[in-house]
Amino acid sequence: EAQVTQNPRYLITVTGKKLTVTCSQNMNHEYMSWYRQDPGLGLRQIYYSMNVEVTDKGDVPEGYKVSRKEKRNFPLILESPSPNQTSLYFCASKTSPNTGELFFGEGSRLTVL
Amino acid sequence: AQSVSQHNHHVILSEAASLELGCNYSYGGTVNLFWYVQYPGQHLQLLLKYFSGDPLVKGIKGFEAEFIKSKFSFNLRKPSVQWSDTAEYFCAVRKSGGYQKVTFGTGTKLQVIP
């Protein structure tokens, strides 16, 4: 089954404790992206990757890092999480940067205390 | 920079009522337009999209949207909603051609009362 898989789905952590949210897709998509969803703000792009070893900042990259060493994986790293990073995070992928439809993961709800 | 406005933040309808959710975008060039739906506790999934051609686009589950270029709008419609349509709906826009990022609206929460 074609899917985008994120882990963990739920996480409660404390300020400053490094964490990684993994994202994996099995559709051989070139393009992958991370979004955060906050009430009243919709989805905002954090980072995106057009292909392996090619990543770029989205609209709200501060406090986040990403890497794209393999085509299928695009982990989101919070080196020193802060409470303002409490949010619902979605990973998404699409066939190539130029195509339209995004396929989303199930979401990861992160709470930073 | 392009932007997307969804003026209705929360809509409550009774079953069988007709639905229209507004979406306006700010970019003046050629665009690709999308509606995504997020059912409670689930991820976003594509409802319908417009790239070119007939401005009236039909999507899944009886939804349709009309692209009106002169009004920079892409409103979502459904003649008769069901309780299972309760969800949050996001409009999104992307400049056409090459790599262009997708910009999402803030979403409209639809609650359908049985």
Side-chain angles (χ1 to χ4, degrees):
Chain A
E1 181 189 352
Q3 58 186 4
V4 179
T5 304
Q6 298 177 225
N7 278 296
R9 295 287 313 282
Y10 302 91
L11 179 64
I12 300 174
T13 190
V14 295
T15 298
K17 186 175 181 181
K18 179 180 178 180
L19 68 93
T20 299
V21 185
T22 64
C23 174
S24 181
Q25 51 92 6
N26 62 0
M27 295 172 278
N28 201 36
H29 285 172
E30 288 183 4
Y31 178 94
M32 297 184 75
S33 182
W34 276 103
Y35 293 86
R36 58 178 290 174
Q37 183 182 11
D38 301 290
L41 296 175
L43 275 81
R44 294 179 293 168
Q45 190 179 51
I46 303 170
Y47 267 95
Y48 64 93
S49 169
M50 290 208 264
N51 214 324
V52 175
E53 303 291 2
V54 180
T55 63
D56 209 344
K57 296 177 181 178
D59 297 316
V60 288
E62 294 75 23
Y64 305 94
K65 284 174 57 177
V66 293
S67 69
R68 187 91 183 272
K69 294 185 171 59
E70 306 165 280
K71 198 171 190 178
R72 61 184 291 125
N73 296 324
F74 190 45
L76 179 70
I77 303 155
L78 285 73
E79 292 274 1
S80 182
S82 62
N84 65 12
Q85 292 177 297
T86 293
S87 187
L88 178 59
Y89 291 87
F90 286 101
C91 181
S93 71
K94 56 181 178 172
T95 307
S96 77
N98 300 339
T99 61
E101 180 182 355
L102 286 162
F103 292 85
F104 285 85
E106 298 285 335
S108 297
R109 185 166 292 281
L110 171 64
T111 302
V112 184
L113 302 175
Chain B
Q2 68 212 34
S3 65
V4 181
S5 297
Q6 292 182 244
H7 304 294
N8 313 103
H9 299 296
H10 196 176
V11 173
I12 302 174
L13 294 173
S14 298
E15 274 192 315
S18 64
L19 169 73
E20 181 160 4
L21 300 181
C23 172
N24 289 89
Y25 63 93
S26 65
Y27 179 63
T30 305
V31 293
N32 306 140
L33 296 154
F34 310 85
W35 276 97
Y36 285 86
V37 60
Q38 184 179 28
Y39 297 104
Q42 296 188 26
H43 63 286
L44 279 80
Q45 52 189 292
L46 185 70
L47 202 53
L48 50 78
K49 61 186 178 185
Y50 172 79
F51 274 57
S52 63
D54 189 345
L56 185 60
V57 179
K58 294 196 183 299
I60 60 172
K61 302 186 182 185
F63 285 91
E64 64 178 31
E66 185 175 13
F67 170 50
I68 303 179
K69 190 173 181 179
S70 61
K71 295 185 178 180
F72 300 92
S73 70
F74 189 55
N75 293 354
L76 181 70
R77 299 195 293 247
K78 185 171 184 178
S80 175
V81 295
Q82 302 172 319
W83 176 78
S84 57
D85 293 325
T86 295
E88 190 159 15
Y89 294 80
F90 293 91
C91 183
V93 67
R94 168 184 174 269
K95 294 179 191 177
S96 182
Y99 168 67
Q100 303 287 352
K101 77 168 201 173
V102 178
T103 300
F104 286 85
T106 54
T108 298
K109 284 189 177 174
L110 170 66
Q111 185 179 355
V112 179
I113 301 168

